[in-house]
Amino acid sequence: MSPISLIFHRSSRRLSLSSPLFSFHFCKYLCSSSSPSHLPIQTNLSHPIYMLWGSNTSVGKTLVSTGLAASVLCSPNPAKFTYIKPVQTGFPQDSDSRFVFRKVSEIFHGRKPLACLHASNHALWASAPAAKEVVGGRTGGEGLRDLCCYEERRIGAGEEVGVFELVCKTIYGWKEAISPHLAAEREGAVVDDSVLRELLQRYVGCHEGGGDCGSGDQIWTVVETAGGIASPGPSGTLQCDLYRPFRLPAILIGDGRLGGISGTISAYESLKLRGYDVIAVVLEDHGLLNEAALLSYLQNRVPVLVLPCIPQDPFDNLMQWFSDSHEVFCSLQDIMLDAYSERIKRLHDMPKKAVDVFWWPFTQHNLVPEEIVTVIDSRCGENFAVHKVGTQQTSELISQQFDACASWWTQGPDTTLQIELARDMGYATARFGHVMFPENVYEPALHCAELLLEGVGRGWASRTFFSDNGSTAIEIALKMAFRKFSFDHGILDRFNDNLIERCFNFKVLALNGSYHGDTLGAMEAQAPSSYTGFLQQPWYSGRGLFLDPPTVFMCNGDWILSLPKVLQFDKLNHEERTFSSRDDIFHGSRDSSCLAGSYSAYISQQLLPFSRSDGSDHVAALIIEPVIQGSGGMLFIDPLFQRVLVKECRSRKIPVIFDEVFTGFWRLGAESAAELLDCLPDIACFAKLMTGGIIPLSATLATDAVFNAFKGDTKQLPKLYNGSRIHSQTSISFLKEGD
């Protein structure tokens, strides 16, 4: 077979050449635009699609692609194999897609001389220097050139046994044989990540240009990366991050050379850290038994296949090597096909299994048939990758879906920060595992506590108490507040050696519409609602004084103050009800307004029945969601009202708790909602965004004064439990170390 060079045609003429074995057709190839259309990332599940990664450069990725393609196309039944090389440097002298195109054609003709193979090779875009090498002429300068390059081979004429098809594509090519980010920069042809992904998904999804979207085991697609796992792409983004939105199942080409064990394991861990599924490891035999060490490390979770040593003679056409490797590639094909089938089965089985075994929160299960259960395959950034069952008109897909719920609660980090969080979590887990916290210190916990105190706690907090979720953080805050109230109001001093029995009924001051969690104590601190009804919480009694708050809403570009009935004032003028900007609502000048005085009078009147120092009923804590009530309906509470609440409670030595589980960590545009209110709490609770939703974690921050209320000379609480008993509807409980 004589070598075939790439042929480009800018005219409509069609050129045909023929030989006894091959017929070649060269024609103009109409390339799609390189501009992204911002379609959601989709991956076609109607057939196996895999991504080939190398543990390093020059480990034989393209040889594996070629051998796998030959194995698929030389099977008894007609098959189609698509090979995609998104990024190619050293182009056109080095072209992996052209190598696959030529070599598979040779192998196919040798193994199936009576069958018919349609093989084509496409080169879509190239830098100006690379394009000049191909088409010549005046193609200098910078930027990318639309190559419209296409070559085709037709091998054999025996269509009675079916037609086999091989499609090879190079999406982007650069002339210099160096790292893609350097080649792109030097040749003035940088490609944005979104543009590259958009073009790639046309061949792994079901958008225009995506090829067949039907079902069948004999349709295959393989995407081969460039260099190693963490080699930069054209923009400088690491390829393992660049292609992460697709999360295609991975075949890792390991390194059988000296040092290859380390490189292969590092590559494997890099893929796993980013959430890729590695289906198999393939490496060349260099006589060092690297496969044994890899199998031991992988504990047989991932098969390791060994290829014969590749001939080093540059004139060797490798036909004998591919023949010797045939069984290995057949085994790899079977492994990949089994993994694909198992994945599809899992995706289809998950909804029914979930309906049978899960007890979802906030869900009426009679209203959730398995058909509407969302199967989440992964997430990347703010998008889930969800399974979409195919129909007669549509293919089965993994498709992006915006995670609107997490964008409220947990998903503040972008894709890059997600990876950093996963890396830090893995580091802390590998370094420490589980640590019993009381009287111990370890670096990640200390660093986290310091960051919280320097950030959301800046200027007021001095202590960090860790727990596992927002509701628990609230319960801890209530314990702290009740103890501080008891300390400040001399209640602890009333328990002495005289065995006096007293009943104290501690309540919270809170707002109607508030929500502070689902544990029993947290629910007691919120007003009656659908969350606290008898069917939800039979023990609920609502141990609080709950006020109707004034709210703010936008109408026709103005911010409007809405007052509850108990705060309807005839003397309130238009200027105090309407605001032209959000900043006007928060402005401190409102603190001296008539409305502020009215708020103060109303709050004082409500607190009056609890003001007797010798009484048994006490408002022992104020708890609010600052600025915004989340689960209560995303209600914007008048900041002035909340500031007055804090002021009135401070004057009565009632501890102030800010529930910032929802509002904290820049959720409202400020690091904490306390900044917007321009007033500080004694205790504040944070969760959700602390870990980006990766693991449950919360923190309750407190002032020194709150912390000191718990200090004593012994672990036994001072002036307490000297034979006395506490009887309280709230069961006044005190924080123990390690709570």
Side-chain angles (χ1 to χ4, degrees):
M1 186 190 331
S2 60
I4 303 296
S5 60
L6 294 175
I7 305 297
F8 296 83
H9 287 268
R10 296 292 178 178
S11 68
S12 59
R13 291 184 301 166
R14 185 177 180 90
L15 174 65
S16 296
L17 303 176
S18 61
S19 73
L21 298 180
F22 309 103
S23 75
F24 309 97
H25 302 278
F26 306 100
C27 62
K28 183 178 179 181
Y29 176 70
L30 300 177
C31 298
S32 302
S33 170
S34 64
S35 300
S37 59
H38 304 293
L39 294 170
I41 296 292
Q42 293 183 344
T43 304
N44 187 3
L45 291 180
S46 65
H47 63 274
I49 303 178
Y50 282 87
M51 184 164 277
L52 263 64
W53 298 88
S55 58
N56 205 338
T57 189
S58 302
V59 291
K61 294 189 301 294
T62 306
L63 293 178
V64 173
S65 297
T66 303
L68 180 62
S71 177
V72 171
L73 293 172
C74 291
S75 60
N77 299 317
K80 176 181 178 179
F81 191 97
T82 301
Y83 168 87
I84 301 169
K85 184 77 173 184
V87 174
Q88 177 74 65
T89 58
F91 184 82
Q93 280 72 24
D94 291 335
S95 173
D96 293 336
S97 68
R98 193 194 313 157
F99 179 89
V100 175
F101 165 69
R102 291 179 171 181
K103 193 58 62 176
V104 171
S105 299
E106 291 183 52
I107 297 171
F108 184 89
H109 177 67
R111 295 180 186 173
K112 298 179 73 72
L114 300 180
C116 179
L117 173 68
H118 290 170
S120 60
N121 181 37
H122 313 244
L124 307 185
W125 296 87
S127 67
K132 184 177 181 180
E133 290 289 312
V134 177
V135 301
R138 297 181 180 180
T139 58
E142 295 185 343
L144 291 164
R145 299 293 185 267
D146 180 351
L147 287 181
C148 294
C149 165
Y150 172 72
E151 62 178 313
E152 181 182 79
R153 288 180 176 180
R154 181 183 178 90
I155 300 174
E159 296 189 7
E160 63 276 3
V161 295
V163 176
F164 297 76
E165 185 177 1
L166 171 66
V167 178
C168 301
K169 295 179 185 287
T170 298
I171 298 181
Y172 288 105
W174 290 266
K175 180 182 177 181
E176 280 199 81
I178 54 178
S179 180
H181 73 296
L182 287 177
E185 182 179 349
R186 291 181 182 181
E187 297 174 29
V190 176
V191 178
D192 188 74
D193 292 347
S194 62
V195 175
L196 194 155
R197 285 193 290 254
E198 168 69 23
L199 286 179
L200 176 58
Q201 86 155 347
R202 297 181 185 182
Y203 308 108
V204 299
C206 282
H207 301 303
E208 180 182 355
D212 290 330
C213 289
S215 61
D217 294 340
Q218 294 306 307
I219 300 175
W220 288 69
T221 299
V222 164
V223 181
E224 183 184 311
T225 60
I229 298 296
S231 295
S235 72
T237 301
L238 304 187
Q239 288 183 92
C240 48
D241 298 330
L242 170 63
Y243 299 121
R244 175 57 181 79
F246 297 99
R247 207 186 78 87
L248 295 175
I251 303 299
L252 175 60
I253 313 306
D255 192 343
R257 298 168 295 190
L258 184 63
I261 297 172
S262 175
T264 304
I265 291 175
S266 296
Y268 174 83
E269 295 293 347
S270 294
L271 289 173
K272 296 295 287 185
L273 179 65
R274 288 163 172 80
Y276 289 96
D277 295 327
V278 180
I279 305 304
V281 177
V282 183
L283 73 160
E284 178 190 358
D285 185 7
H286 283 268
L288 300 177
L289 300 179
N290 285 8
E291 65 275 13
L294 293 173
L295 282 169
S296 175
Y297 176 79
L298 297 171
Q299 297 180 355
N300 294 315
R301 292 188 299 265
V302 178
V304 178
L305 305 180
V306 182
L307 291 166
C309 186
I310 301 169
Q312 298 302 304
D313 183 357
F315 297 103
D316 193 311
N317 66 5
L318 298 179
M319 293 300 289
Q320 184 59 49
W321 182 85
F322 279 110
S323 177
D324 296 341
S325 306
H326 179 62
E327 289 189 8
V328 177
F329 288 122
C330 286
S331 297
L332 177 60
Q333 179 187 349
D334 291 340
I335 290 168
M336 295 168 69
L337 191 56
D338 288 345
Y340 163 76
S341 300
E342 290 170 6
R343 183 189 186 196
I344 298 300
K345 184 178 186 303
R346 288 196 307 271
L347 291 170
H348 282 272
D349 290 348
M350 283 170 67
K352 184 179 187 312
K353 289 183 177 181
V355 168
D356 289 343
V357 303
F358 282 166
W359 190 334
W360 285 301
F362 301 106
T363 302
Q364 175 49 260
H365 285 65
N366 280 344
L367 304 178
V368 185
E370 63 180 84
E371 292 78 16
I372 70 170
V373 174
T374 301
V375 178
I376 300 172
D377 182 70
S378 66
R379 80 167 304 123
C380 188
E382 292 189 334
N383 293 303
F384 282 135
V386 300
H387 177 231
K388 301 287 188 181
V389 178
T391 66
Q392 290 182 345
Q393 291 77 32
T394 61
S395 296
E396 191 167 357
L397 297 171
I398 294 291
S399 180
Q400 280 188 343
Q401 180 172 302
F402 178 62
D403 182 5
C405 183
S407 71
W408 280 359
W409 300 109
T410 61
Q411 198 53 44
D414 59 12
T415 308
T416 302
L417 186 54
Q418 265 190 306
I419 295 168
E420 292 180 14
L421 281 171
R423 186 184 301 118
D424 288 344
M425 298 278 182
Y427 168 78
T429 302
R431 181 177 173 186
F432 296 101
H434 176 259
V435 175
M436 288 296 292
F437 202 40
E439 302 180 25
N440 291 320
V441 61
Y442 60 106
E443 222 169 11
L446 180 60
H447 185 51
C448 181
E450 290 174 336
L451 287 175
L452 290 168
L453 295 176
E454 294 166 2
V456 291
R458 184 174 57 254
W460 66 272
S462 65
R463 298 285 171 169
T464 302
F465 194 109
F466 288 113
S467 55
D468 61 340
N469 64 80
S471 186
T472 305
I474 292 295
E475 301 237 3
I476 291 167
L478 291 171
K479 290 182 179 183
M480 290 178 176
F482 292 157
R483 178 57 191 263
K484 181 65 165 64
F485 182 87
S486 301
F487 185 87
D488 288 343
H489 292 265
I491 292 175
L492 297 182
D493 295 331
R494 301 178 195 178
F495 294 91
N496 51 41
D497 295 331
N498 296 328
L499 301 179
I500 297 176
E501 293 188 3
R502 293 290 303 273
C503 179
F504 292 93
N505 181 18
F506 278 8
K507 293 178 178 290
V508 299
L509 176 60
L511 303 180
N512 283 314
S514 62
Y515 176 83
H516 302 293
D518 294 313
T519 53
L520 296 180
M523 294 178 81
E524 288 296 300
Q526 57 201 47
S529 68
S530 58
Y531 298 108
T532 61
F534 178 82
L535 294 178
Q536 298 293 332
Q537 215 280 61
W539 279 3
Y540 175 78
S541 60
R543 300 173 189 183
L545 171 61
F546 304 111
L547 307 182
D548 287 327
T551 58
V552 182
F553 64 94
M554 177 174 275
C555 180
N556 296 324
D558 290 327
W559 296 89
I560 310 298
L561 176 64
S562 175
L563 297 175
K565 289 183 179 180
V566 294
L567 290 173
Q568 296 288 343
F569 307 115
D570 294 335
K571 61 181 179 180
L572 193 64
N573 57 46
H574 176 77
E575 287 72 20
E576 289 185 294
R577 285 182 177 270
T578 306
F579 307 89
S580 59
S581 71
R582 190 204 67 171
D583 291 343
D584 291 341
I585 303 170
F586 287 95
H587 203 279
S589 62
R590 296 184 66 206
D591 293 351
S592 58
S593 65
C594 293
L595 182 60
S598 300
Y599 283 166
S600 178
Y602 167 69
I603 294 167
S604 297
Q605 182 184 21
Q606 298 299 310
L607 289 173
L608 187 60
F610 304 93
S611 299
R612 291 181 53 188
S613 60
D614 60 345
S616 60
D617 291 346
H618 298 273
V619 170
L622 167 66
I623 180 169
I624 59 172
E625 297 169 271
V627 183
I628 298 290
Q629 288 184 341
S631 293
M634 295 296 169
L635 300 177
F636 183 2
I637 308 302
D638 184 6
L640 176 62
F641 183 77
Q642 292 193 324
R643 281 203 298 269
V644 174
L645 265 177
V646 172
K647 180 180 178 181
E648 293 298 325
C649 288
R650 282 268 159 72
S651 68
R652 293 166 173 79
K653 293 185 178 181
I654 297 173
V656 176
I657 303 170
F658 280 4
D659 177 356
E660 293 222 47
V661 170
F662 169 57
T663 58
F665 303 118
W666 303 100
R667 178 64 74 196
L668 303 182
E671 190 166 12
S672 73
E675 291 183 37
L676 294 174
L677 282 183
D678 196 25
C679 60
L680 300 174
D682 301 298
I683 305 164
C685 303
F686 299 89
K688 307 294 185 187
L689 275 171
M690 280 183 66
T691 66
I694 294 180
I695 61 169
L697 182 67
S698 62
T700 305
L701 273 57
T703 63
D704 255 337
V706 173
F707 175 75
N708 289 335
F710 286 85
K711 294 182 73 173
D713 297 329
T714 67
K715 287 190 176 182
Q716 193 78 8
L717 292 172
K719 300 183 182 180
L720 192 59
Y721 300 144
N722 296 324
S724 300
R725 295 191 300 273
I726 295 177
H727 296 276
S728 170
Q729 292 180 13
T730 54
S731 299
I732 303 174
S733 54
F734 299 92
L735 286 173
K736 302 183 290 294
E737 293 184 63
D739 243 7

